[in-house]
Amino acid sequence: MLALAAMTLAAFATTAHAETWAPTATKATAVASTARTAVTHISTMQAGALTHIVVALKLRNKAQLDQLTADLMSGRSHKTLSSQDFLRLYAPTKEQVQAVVNHLTKSGFTNITVSANNLLISANGSAGSVKTAFNTELHTYSVNGRSAYANVSDAAVPQSLGDVVLAVHGLQTVHLHHTMLKKLDAGTAARTMSAVGHNPTDFPTIYNASSLPSATNATIGIITQGDMSQTIADLNTFTSNSGYPQTSVSTVVINGASSDTSGVDEWNMDTQSSLAAAGGTIKQMILYTANTLSDSDLTTAYNQVVSDNKAQTINVSLGECETDAQSSGITASNDQIFQSAVAQGQTFSVSSGDSGAYECDTSTTAQSYPAVSPYVMALGGTLVNTGSGNAWSSETVWACSDWQSCQQSASGGAGGGPSLTEAAPSWQVSAGILGSSTKRGVPDISLDADPSSGALVLINGSPTQIGGTSLAAPLFTGFWARVQSANSNGLAFPASAIYQKAAANPSMFHDVTSGSQGYSAKAGWDYASGYGSLNVANFASVIGSGTPPPPPPGNVLTSGVAVTGLALSTGSSKVYTIVVPAGRTSLTFKTSGGKGDADIYASFGSAPTTSSYQYVSDGSTTSETITIRNPKAGTYYLLLNSYATFSGVTLIAND
């Protein structure tokens, strides 16, 4: 018996030793203390201590997706993906997902959940199951008195999963994201006595957006954390005080509900400022509410936005040191989530940071993630001065003098500078604004952020003056929702168009030429303010038409009369209309015959796009049907879209 036991142990040891591990993007956590963060090692984490992990899987056909998003951002294509398209073409396969699920189950994880787009797998386990699954120990630490833990070596997976698993989140809580909010204090007020705070309803006037219609066709998403009860109550009071209709607000809870109310100031500013910038009337607001500001919870929140594919514009008033994000694998996993958003026609608006050019709490310049991602809009900060009637008067950078005073924990200043971790996207390189740098430069543009000219945010029923680039981001979120809504939500991710058209259309911006936050503002684009702030009406006229495109003449359907011989090349589309009388019980659109891949999208009252529609049929052939029960009386619009070149197709409508 002893001999048998010895043989069994020897066999186990040989098998364990023979296991070949493949690296992931999640590296050992850096736990050194900084000037403002005291980190103390406590002990090895007990094997039975509970953990929650999120495994990020690699996209399929990445080169093809890179080309698609490059074409969208350059204006070479306007064909965005539906969620079904993404799942079919680029998401990990069911077999790949199952292989990871099997590995987690074998390692002792439970409550295993797969995201709708297959990009993330979440699970509950222990420090022991983490060691078994990812070949790394977890240790506990004290971080400024807060209990935390971290992986002490790089996370790995068995070689068989090396081409499937990208990163593993939930292995550390030493580094957390933080909000980009700065309240007005006596020192700030004394330094900038000429500036005043603004009701969020003032910003459309300040930035010349009031002439645009409200974003009535837009859904705004906001990344939040904790308990949203007070935020929603204050938003309802704000809308009532402002004369806006009550906003339809829903909450999507990530990784369980939390009673934390420490972020109420932030979430109130995000909701109230984005709504006001959008004109006060939107289709819907969705609060994607994480349990914590950890890597795992926020990654899940971002991905939920993308897998839902409901919000066209999404606000993120959060960030962390970019080198910490790269080390944890956040940069790798979240970039592909943000890229998927671009492919689907969604835009993330992200605060650039409140620590000047020094986000990583040292004298070395470094930026905030996710602002440095090439797949998000990075919003920097200014101090805005206004004249009579809240007309824009002048603007300077939200400034600070050295790396210590620039810290958010001190006076604060607008985030901006060259990234240490992200390469410059082609649209920045082509614009010729980076000089010899090959790294992503932030911000792209700036809006009000200095707390001395900040927003008078309603909190528990009373106004509080708050700034930070947490104000700039929701302002752009609302303005962009307004521009998108006026263009039937058919515009692509705007950064590339901004850089392409900036030189020929300087009236889109208020060029900010004074102020420093580690880098000095100058004429044109700069690291302190990007292109400056927006003149929204001029921006809208350059980036989009400002009104929904009417259907082409002659494309009017008659009930029961077939349109035959239809043909379109890949990526092109055609809009049709039909007027439905009152009293009809159904309306049907149907395509048939021919060859290729035709999709149909329908909406009442305005032309749909492939990313904004009320009804869709988008199979892989030319045989598609949409049936609408009890249709309203009025005009329905049909978009016939060529997913792959088709010919010989027949379209018919019946009411």
Side-chain angles (χ1 to χ4, degrees):
M1 181 66 70
L2 290 174
L4 178 60
M7 290 174 61
T8 302
L9 288 171
F12 176 80
T14 301
T15 302
H17 180 74
E19 180 72 80
T20 303
W21 295 93
T24 70
T26 300
K27 308 307 177 185
T29 302
V31 293
S33 296
T34 68
R36 290 180 173 83
T37 305
V39 182
T40 305
H41 179 264
I42 303 299
S43 65
T44 302
M45 196 170 178
Q46 292 183 352
L50 299 180
T51 62
H52 174 76
I53 59 98
V54 173
V55 181
L57 276 55
K58 296 178 181 178
L59 290 163
R60 286 185 297 127
N61 303 322
K62 183 62 162 59
Q64 182 180 337
L65 183 62
D66 289 345
Q67 186 61 57
L68 185 151
T69 51
D71 288 346
L72 281 170
M73 290 190 288
S74 68
R76 293 190 296 269
S77 171
H78 299 283
K79 177 178 172 51
T80 55
L81 294 175
S82 67
S83 298
Q84 295 86 349
D85 292 336
F86 176 83
L87 194 63
R88 177 164 52 92
L89 295 171
Y90 304 111
T93 66
K94 292 180 180 178
E95 293 75 16
Q96 290 173 323
V97 168
Q98 191 59 51
V100 177
V101 169
N102 291 344
H103 176 61
L104 294 175
T105 302
K106 181 180 177 182
S107 301
F109 286 94
T110 59
N111 297 326
I112 299 172
T113 304
V114 180
S115 66
N117 61 3
N118 286 358
L119 280 185
L120 301 181
I121 302 176
S122 63
N124 295 332
S126 65
S129 51
V130 165
K131 187 173 181 180
T132 300
F134 307 117
N135 198 35
T136 182
E137 278 189 346
L138 301 182
H139 285 204
T140 59
Y141 299 84
S142 172
V143 182
N144 285 346
R146 172 178 62 87
S147 296
Y149 59 86
N151 54 307
V152 296
S153 59
D154 297 354
V157 291
Q159 193 69 46
S160 60
L161 298 178
D163 291 333
V164 179
V165 173
L166 177 61
V168 185
H169 303 307
L171 303 189
Q172 69 86 24
T173 57
V174 170
H175 305 297
L176 301 176
H177 286 63
H178 60 89
T179 59
M180 302 299 189
L181 169 149
K182 189 70 176 174
K183 287 188 176 181
L184 179 69
D185 57 35
T188 302
R191 289 192 300 274
T192 53
M193 294 181 65
S194 61
V196 296
H198 298 280
N199 188 304
T201 57
D202 295 341
F203 290 110
T205 300
I206 294 170
Y207 289 114
N208 194 25
S210 298
S211 62
L212 298 178
S214 295
T216 54
N217 195 35
T219 295
I220 289 175
I222 300 179
I223 302 297
T224 62
Q225 181 268 328
D227 186 345
M228 292 296 106
S229 301
Q230 188 62 50
T231 292
I232 294 174
D234 282 331
L235 180 64
N236 289 338
T237 302
F238 172 74
T239 58
S240 177
N241 291 350
S242 304
Y244 299 150
Q246 184 166 317
T247 303
S248 172
V249 183
S250 60
T251 303
V252 177
V253 176
I254 309 298
N255 193 26
S258 167
S259 59
D260 184 9
T261 58
S262 62
V264 164
D265 295 0
E266 176 64 70
W267 322 131
N268 284 25
M269 181 159 67
D270 292 348
T271 53
Q272 295 170 30
S273 299
S274 61
L275 178 65
T281 308
I282 61 174
K283 183 177 180 182
Q284 187 182 14
M285 181 178 287
I286 306 175
L287 308 181
Y288 288 90
T289 304
N291 185 276
T292 70
L293 295 181
S294 66
D295 290 350
S296 56
D297 285 353
L298 287 175
T299 297
T300 305
Y302 298 148
N303 192 61
Q304 189 70 51
V305 172
V306 175
S307 61
D308 285 354
N309 197 13
K310 294 178 179 179
Q312 293 84 33
T313 311
I314 306 95
N315 185 79
V316 181
S317 293
L318 300 164
E320 68 171 337
C321 169
E322 62 173 317
T323 54
D324 291 337
Q326 183 185 49
S327 177
S328 68
I330 281 290
T331 300
S333 62
N334 290 8
D335 270 3
Q336 69 174 21
I337 292 171
F338 297 136
Q339 181 181 13
S340 302
V342 171
Q344 293 180 171
Q346 298 173 288
T347 298
F348 279 82
S349 173
V350 181
S351 304
S352 68
D354 290 357
S355 295
Y358 311 98
E359 174 63 29
C360 295
D361 202 20
T362 71
S363 59
T364 301
T365 60
Q367 304 312 309
S368 177
Y369 188 88
V372 293
S373 171
Y375 302 108
V376 307
M377 283 291 297
L379 272 297
T382 66
L383 182 152
V384 65
N385 292 299
T386 55
S388 61
N390 283 315
W392 183 92
S393 176
S394 65
E395 216 159 353
T396 61
V397 170
W398 177 26
C400 52
S401 57
D402 54 53
W403 80 269
Q404 288 101 336
S405 68
C406 284
Q407 295 303 303
Q408 184 183 36
S409 57
S411 296
S419 172
L420 299 178
T421 61
E422 295 270 26
S426 60
W427 36 268
Q428 274 199 321
V429 174
S430 299
I433 46 89
L434 295 177
S436 60
S437 176
T438 60
K439 294 296 186 179
R440 165 79 158 117
V442 294
D444 297 311
I445 57 175
S446 295
L447 292 165
D448 187 27
D450 192 310
S452 61
S453 60
L456 296 169
V457 180
L458 201 64
I459 300 171
N460 295 314
S462 299
T464 300
Q465 191 163 331
I466 310 176
T469 52
S470 278
L471 172 57
L475 288 178
F476 181 78
T477 297
F479 290 146
W480 181 241
R482 206 162 180 161
V483 176
Q484 274 280 38
S485 181
N487 288 274
S488 300
N489 295 314
L491 300 179
F493 179 69
S496 181
I498 288 172
Y499 282 80
Q500 288 174 2
K501 299 178 179 182
N505 299 277
S507 67
M508 289 195 295
F509 313 110
H510 302 119
D511 192 6
V512 176
T513 59
S514 63
S516 171
Q517 40 67 282
Y519 294 92
S520 295
K522 58 183 180 61
W525 189 93
D526 53 68
Y527 289 123
S529 65
Y531 279 113
S533 70
L534 288 180
N535 180 316
V536 178
N538 293 351
F539 169 75
S541 68
V542 172
I543 300 298
S545 67
T547 56
N555 294 339
V556 178
L557 298 173
T558 301
S559 181
V561 178
V563 181
T564 60
L566 295 173
L568 289 172
S569 59
T570 299
S572 56
S573 60
K574 186 175 288 189
V575 176
Y576 295 84
T577 61
I578 184 170
V579 178
V580 179
R584 293 295 193 262
T585 58
S586 70
L587 169 65
T588 301
F589 296 106
K590 184 175 183 179
T591 58
S592 60
K595 58 183 180 180
D597 185 353
D599 300 330
I600 53 176
Y601 303 79
S603 290
F604 177 80
S606 62
T609 70
T610 56
S611 60
S612 178
Y613 50 83
Q614 295 171 343
Y615 312 92
V616 61
S617 180
D618 59 353
S620 57
T621 68
T622 60
S623 297
E624 307 291 349
T625 303
I626 290 174
T627 300
I628 303 169
R629 303 297 180 189
N630 300 313
K632 300 176 184 178
T635 302
Y636 279 82
Y637 292 71
L638 179 94
L639 178 76
L640 177 64
N641 185 70
S642 176
Y643 187 80
T645 297
F646 66 79
S647 60
V649 172
T650 296
L651 168 64
I652 189 169
N654 286 288
D655 63 20

